[in-house]
Amino acid sequence: MAARPPLTRRTDYDRERTVEYEVVRLEPASAQSRAAWIFLAPALGLIAIFFLVPVAASLVLSLTDFDIYAVASLHNARFVGLGNYVRLFHDPIFWKALGNTFYFALVGGPLTVAVSLGAALLLDAKMVRWKGFFRTIYFAPFVTTLVAVAIVWKYLYHPQYGLLNWALAKVGVHPIDWLGDPHWAMPAIIVMAVWKNFGYNMLIFVAALQSVPEELYEAAELDGAGPVARFWHITLPMLGPALAFVGVVTMIGYFQLFAEPYVMTAGGPLRATTSVVLYMYEEGFRWWRMGFAASIAFVLFVIIAGATLVQRRFGAGAGEHA
Amino acid sequence: MMSSLSRRVLLYTALIAGALVAVFPLLWMLSASFMATGEASTYPPHLIPRAPTIAHYRDLFTRLNLGRALFNSALIALVVTALSVLINSMAGYALAKLRFRHRARVYRSLGIGLILPAQVAMLPLFLLMKELHLVNSYWGVIIPGLASIFGILLTYQYALAIPDDLLDAARVDGASELQLYRLVVLPVIAPILATLAIWTFLATWNDFMWPLIILSDDRKYTLPVAIANLVGEHVQDAELMMAGSVVTVLPVMLVFLFLQRYYIRGITAGAVK
């Protein structure tokens, strides 16, 4: 309970009244406090037991040689200090996976944001009718089940019968083995991810664009600024905070790349699409090297915590401008 | 300076081209699912089935038992949605409107929890589920999805706007805190609960990695796990796989199309945070 001011000396009558007053005020407050903890208990209990404790346990797990024998009996696990991390940093597959994940996030993230912004600008144009219709269509891929559309794209990318190569052949491009060529597999997954995810950021940009004051555009137009100049000097600076927020949030999501390579390429060819999370999954749940896999998970944690700190810094800036 | 007409033509060309790219993979999925076996693997490709057939759907629901996965997905998504809306909304409301010690600390801790990626918890979580004998069970999928920091904070933000006078008036009338929540708070926060319910349903339905880890028996598989498994065995059967994808995507598409107003509110609310 919050600190109260000390009672001063009063007459008996006054003290009685004060006591009565406190009873009335404090009773509901303690009832509220009890109710609050009862209301919070299920959610906080579940989050603690099934999320926070496992996250902390993951760090401990990464310091052991927990493997398939330990899955059978915990006694078979031994403490190995930083052994898993030493092994990890000498593991070429890990470095490959880390590089792939950054490739996906740092190329795919900005590309997704750019496409989202383009779509939002189209939808924001004053002369466009049926905005709701186009918005729904553009947003539809985001709602779909990732695994299902990854399967669809796998066939669209088929080197012989895929519709993409067929369409490209019409403009004279030779067939590309999208998912079978180590150089093309990651770009192919990025294109699919952009298609799947741009609608989400687009909606955020549409909302942000509506808050740009119309007078700014009118003033610029009077000064003779064309559409391109208006975009660079008004739209982009006004969207700045939203852009930074959306960009980092998108990249954080992309660092967790898993289902696309799992379904489309199984991490290949030549490990070209193995991501950090896919490698963790393979080591932990296919080969049951859970201690080693936990050290991979911890690296993921560090990457995402770092990216989030960057985002919060941008986020603070966004708060000032908004 | 471009004329207004040519600008309009250019704009609509871009809009329509974008719309075609957005829907084409989905339309092709639908179209190919009705093609005869082998028809989706021809060159030049057919865009429309020559002789539409539902043979692949029949195959999926009889021989390949995908109906079972559909049932599992629906059951798990509905249970998670119903329970998590209750659990998260109670917590979000308490955090926003009830006075108790450490309130600020709880709020800050949740904010920190948002940083942690779910995948980091998965290895120990699996071992915990094994100890609880929940591996390969519905509850093994359901329980970790019940409480979500996102859900708590979404309700929190909305509940902040409830006037204290409204709550105090009900307290003076003798309402208990539980009655207050049920009779006063729930009707007021109903719109955001609709948003939360739709988000939770779609996220649970679409979830892949955790169900893949915790479920080992194909009779327990959810749809994404089932079709990911199916594509391993039937990679040559493009038409069959397209039908499986349609079965997986169609329910969430329908939920979205009918309830998109509520769904989209979750995005704008989340972005404000």
Side-chain angles (χ1 to χ4, degrees):
Chain A
M1 242 148 281
R4 322 170 231 143
L7 290 174
T8 45
R9 289 176 69 87
R10 293 173 198 193
T11 63
D12 281 355
Y13 173 77
D14 268 336
R15 272 183 72 181
E16 259 180 0
R17 218 178 47 172
T18 311
V19 169
E20 201 180 65
Y21 172 76
E22 279 188 345
V23 168
V24 171
R25 273 216 43 187
L26 292 179
E27 262 305 297
S30 74
Q32 260 186 53
S33 168
R34 202 167 44 237
W37 286 111
I38 293 171
F39 282 18
L40 280 163
L44 296 187
L46 283 163
I47 290 172
I49 299 170
F50 296 100
F51 187 53
L52 297 182
V53 169
V55 167
S58 193
L59 187 57
V60 178
L61 192 62
S62 76
L63 304 175
T64 70
D65 67 349
F66 205 102
D67 58 9
I68 192 161
Y69 303 106
V71 174
S73 165
L74 282 173
H75 300 291
N76 292 324
R78 278 168 313 172
F79 187 74
V80 293
L82 295 176
N84 287 321
Y85 293 94
V86 173
R87 209 181 114 200
L88 194 61
F89 294 133
H90 288 96
D91 179 358
I93 300 175
F94 167 71
W95 288 110
K96 182 84 185 148
L98 196 64
N100 292 337
T101 305
F102 271 87
Y103 179 6
F104 180 74
L106 296 184
V107 175
L111 206 57
T112 305
V113 173
V115 172
S116 305
L117 183 57
L121 287 171
L122 284 178
L123 283 182
D124 192 57
K126 259 174 294 179
M127 54 179 79
V128 170
R129 292 167 66 185
W130 310 300
K131 280 187 187 179
F133 168 77
F134 281 112
R135 196 183 61 179
T136 302
I137 296 245
Y138 284 8
F139 191 67
F142 179 75
V143 186
T144 57
T145 309
L146 179 53
V147 172
V149 294
I151 291 173
V152 173
W153 278 80
K154 191 178 156 91
Y155 291 103
L156 292 177
Y157 280 138
H158 193 284
Q160 217 177 331
Y161 308 118
L163 273 89
L164 185 62
N165 274 349
W166 170 70
L168 288 175
K170 302 226 160 203
V171 291
V173 177
H174 288 291
I176 296 171
D177 189 0
W178 293 101
L179 298 173
D181 181 329
H183 297 291
W184 284 111
M186 190 55 94
I189 286 181
I190 288 174
V191 167
M192 190 240 143
V194 171
W195 171 83
K196 171 88 169 65
N197 295 310
F198 81 94
Y200 179 83
N201 297 332
M202 177 193 76
L203 288 186
I204 295 176
F205 288 143
V206 166
L209 283 171
Q210 276 162 5
S211 68
V212 178
E214 195 57 39
E215 301 86 63
L216 285 181
Y217 291 115
E218 284 163 8
E221 204 160 359
L222 284 178
D223 290 345
V228 176
R230 289 201 298 267
F231 173 76
W232 280 108
H233 297 294
I234 300 175
T235 311
L236 217 47
M238 290 300 284
L239 282 183
L243 263 174
F245 170 84
V246 156
V248 181
V249 168
T250 303
M251 276 190 257
I252 288 174
Y254 280 10
F255 279 122
Q256 302 171 34
L257 175 69
F258 173 72
E260 296 92 330
Y262 182 94
V263 170
M264 297 168 81
T265 58
L270 300 177
R271 291 273 178 200
T273 57
T274 299
S275 65
V276 170
V277 177
L278 183 61
Y279 192 41
M280 180 199 92
Y281 171 84
E282 286 179 355
E283 287 297 311
F285 295 107
R286 185 165 298 158
W287 309 118
W288 302 104
R289 293 191 275 257
M290 297 187 96
F292 182 59
S295 68
I296 304 173
F298 188 70
V299 171
L300 178 77
F301 165 72
V302 170
I303 295 170
I304 289 181
T308 309
L309 289 178
V310 172
Q311 184 248 310
R312 297 240 161 134
R313 185 155 295 179
F314 278 128
E320 282 159 29
H321 291 288
Chain B
M1 198 75 184
M2 252 189 295
S3 78
S4 158
L5 180 68
S6 61
R7 271 176 64 185
R8 187 173 300 224
V9 169
L10 206 65
L11 195 61
Y12 274 101
T13 308
L15 265 173
I16 291 167
L20 285 178
V21 173
V23 291
F24 181 78
L26 301 174
L27 290 181
W28 185 74
M29 164 182 80
L30 194 63
S31 173
S33 75
F34 293 111
M35 289 180 185
T37 303
E39 195 183 348
S41 303
T42 48
Y43 198 92
H46 297 175
L47 292 179
I48 305 289
R50 294 288 146 91
T53 167
I54 57 161
H56 308 297
Y57 290 96
R58 201 181 296 135
D59 226 18
L60 285 174
F61 283 99
T62 54
R63 188 168 62 86
L64 297 165
N65 210 7
L66 204 70
R68 179 73 197 216
L70 182 65
F71 170 80
N72 295 341
S73 272
L75 178 74
I76 289 171
L78 286 173
V79 171
V80 169
T81 303
L83 292 178
S84 78
V85 165
L86 183 70
I87 290 170
N88 293 320
S89 72
M90 285 176 88
Y93 156 68
L95 204 56
K97 295 314 280 185
L98 297 181
R99 284 184 291 266
F100 60 99
R101 271 175 83 179
H102 306 308
R103 182 162 84 168
R105 191 170 297 169
V106 170
Y107 180 76
R108 267 202 311 275
S109 316
L110 289 178
I112 293 170
L114 270 182
I115 302 179
L116 308 170
Q119 294 90 339
V120 175
M122 284 179 181
L123 295 153
L125 189 57
F126 177 85
L127 297 173
L128 176 64
M129 289 300 180
K130 189 169 162 289
E131 290 303 308
L132 297 173
H133 302 287
L134 291 176
V135 170
N136 197 28
S137 73
Y138 291 141
W139 286 112
V141 184
I142 292 168
I143 289 173
L146 288 183
S148 94
I149 298 178
F150 167 76
I152 295 172
L153 294 181
L154 192 69
T155 323
Y156 166 85
Q157 208 128 46
Y158 199 84
L160 279 179
I162 303 175
D164 283 321
D165 293 345
L166 183 70
L167 303 175
D168 286 335
R171 286 188 185 114
V172 168
D173 288 345
S176 72
E177 291 295 327
L178 193 63
Q179 284 171 327
L180 193 64
Y181 170 74
R182 224 162 34 109
L183 302 173
V184 180
V185 175
L186 271 187
V188 176
I189 62 173
I192 204 68
L193 297 191
T195 301
L196 182 57
I198 297 163
W199 272 85
T200 309
F201 182 85
L202 295 192
T204 311
W205 183 282
N206 291 340
D207 193 18
F208 177 57
M209 190 170 173
W210 181 247
L212 174 73
I213 288 169
I214 201 75
L215 300 174
S216 52
D217 173 355
D218 57 11
R219 281 171 310 166
K220 297 260 172 63
Y221 281 171
T222 58
L223 275 170
V225 181
I227 60 169
N229 199 40
L230 209 59
V231 77
E233 299 162 25
H234 295 268
V235 72
Q236 302 305 325
D237 301 335
E239 304 80 12
L240 179 80
M241 286 317 303
M242 291 307 102
S245 298
V246 170
V247 171
T248 307
V249 167
L250 200 58
V252 283
M253 265 330 220
L254 292 177
V255 169
F256 164 68
L257 286 177
F258 285 109
L259 301 170
Q260 60 169 312
R261 197 157 54 92
Y262 297 98
Y263 184 78
I264 283 171
R265 186 161 49 207
I267 296 176
T268 29
V272 170
K273 213 165 39 215

